[in-house]
Amino acid sequence: MDDPRLTPARGDIAAKYLEGKVSAARFVAGETFEVVDAIAPLRERPAADAPLLTQALRGERATIYDRSAEGWAWGQLDGDGYVGFLPDAALGKPAAAPTHKVSAIRTFAFPGPSIKLPPNDVLVMGSRLAIARADNTFAVTSDGLFLPTTHLSALGSNEPDFVAVAERFVGTPYLWGGKSSLGIDCSGLVQVSLDAAGIGCPRDSDMQEAALGRLLGATERGKLKRGDLLFWKGHVAIARDAETIVHANAHHMATVIEKTLTATARIKAAGSELLAIKRL
C-alpha cells in the first residue's frame, strides 16, 4: 500500500497521476505554488491546532490540489514529497527561480542595505532565494530584501561535513515536526543537515532508515564513524565519532551532544532497542 504521507489522495480528491491507482471522486493535475512565509506549517488536518507533520521553508515549491474557503491548501511538497495542509496565505505564485540558499542557521532579511533597519523577517537554513544583485555586503533578492552575503551560498554549493551542520543546531529547542533552528525534531535535524551537504533525504526517521546508507553488521556496530546514523523506533541520531552522537530529542527537549552508550541505555530503559545503524 502506498505511504499516505507521500501519496496525495483523499476520498474526495487525488492527484491526476494517481488515476487508476487509487479511488477518489475526482482527479486534478494540481498547481505549483511557492512558500512565501519564512516557515509554513504542514499540518495533518486543515486546522491551526492540528498536529504538525513538517515545515516548508521560504522558496520551497509545492503542488497544490485543493484550496478551501477556510484558508487551507492541500498538496504535496516538491522537495521531500510530504503531503498535508498548508496555510493558503503562506503560498504565492512562483516568482524568479531560486539561485541561493540560506547557509547560516538563521539570518535577518532587511528592507534596505543597513543592519540598523528593522528587519522584515527571519529566514532559516535551507530557505531558497532568488538573488538579483549585490549591494556591498548585502545580497538583494528579486523582491527587494537585503540579506548578508556571508549567510548565503549558491544553490549548487554544498557543506563538506553534514555532521558539522548538525552540531550547529546544539541548543535548538525540540519541536515535533520542526526543521529549523527555531525548533527541530530528530529526523528534521538529519534532513536539514544532509540537505545542506547536497544529499537528498526523506522526512521521517523510518523513511530515512529505509532509504539511506548501508546497514552495518553486528561486528561493525561497535566501530561507529562520523556520519553514521543510529535508528530506534521513531528516533534517529547522528554519530559524531566512535563515542558520541548529536540528536534532537524529547528527553532533553533540545538538540544535544551526548555519549552514545548513555543515550542508548536511556532509550532502551524507556522500551526501545537500537534497530539499525546505517553508514552513508
Side-chain angles (χ1 to χ4, degrees), residues 39 52-55 57 104-106 124-126 162 165-196 203 208 234-236 238 246-256:
I39 301 174
L52 180 66
L53 299 175
T54 186
Q55 294 174 322
L57 307 182
I105 61 170
R106 57 187 174 274
V124 298
M125 179 182 285
F162 86 92
V165 177
E167 290 168 338
R168 292 164 62 189
F169 284 84
V170 167
T172 298
Y174 181 85
L175 175 66
W176 181 273
K179 51 182 292 184
S180 85
S181 60
L182 302 176
I184 202 161
D185 65 13
C186 64
S187 55
L189 179 67
V190 171
Q191 187 185 50
V192 168
S193 302
L194 285 174
D195 180 68
R203 178 57 178 92
Q208 293 169 358
H235 187 61
V236 59
I238 305 167
V246 56
H247 61 150
N249 67 92
H251 175 76
H252 296 95
M253 285 305 294
T255 297
V256 300

Side-chain angles (χ1 to χ4, degrees), residues 214-224 274-277:
R214 173 180 69 84
L215 181 66
L216 296 190
T219 58
E220 298 175 287
R221 279 192 171 200
K223 301 175 182 177
L224 291 181
L274 182 63
L275 297 177
I277 302 174

Side-chain angles (χ1 to χ4, degrees), residues 105-210:
I105 61 170
R106 57 187 174 274
T107 189
F108 290 112
F110 297 94
S114 172
I115 60 172
K116 296 181 180 180
L117 293 170
N120 286 30
D121 216 338
V122 180
L123 301 183
V124 298
M125 179 182 285
S127 302
R128 265 58 173 172
L129 302 166
I131 299 301
R133 61 186 174 88
D135 189 327
N136 294 319
T137 59
F138 289 93
V140 187
T141 67
S142 59
D143 55 352
L145 294 177
F146 289 70
L147 293 96
T149 55
T150 54
H151 289 178
L152 303 176
S153 61
L155 273 188
S157 65
N158 299 316
E159 294 281 352
D161 179 4
F162 86 92
V163 185
V165 177
E167 290 168 338
R168 292 164 62 189
F169 284 84
V170 167
T172 298
Y174 181 85
L175 175 66
W176 181 273
K179 51 182 292 184
S180 85
S181 60
L182 302 176
I184 202 161
D185 65 13
C186 64
S187 55
L189 179 67
V190 171
Q191 187 185 50
V192 168
S193 302
L194 285 174
D195 180 68
I199 301 170
C201 178
R203 178 57 178 92
D204 293 344
S205 61
D206 63 319
M207 300 174 180
Q208 293 169 358
E209 181 184 351

Side-chain angles (χ1 to χ4, degrees), residues 28 37 83 114 241:
V28 297
D37 282 4
V83 174
S114 172
D241 49 39

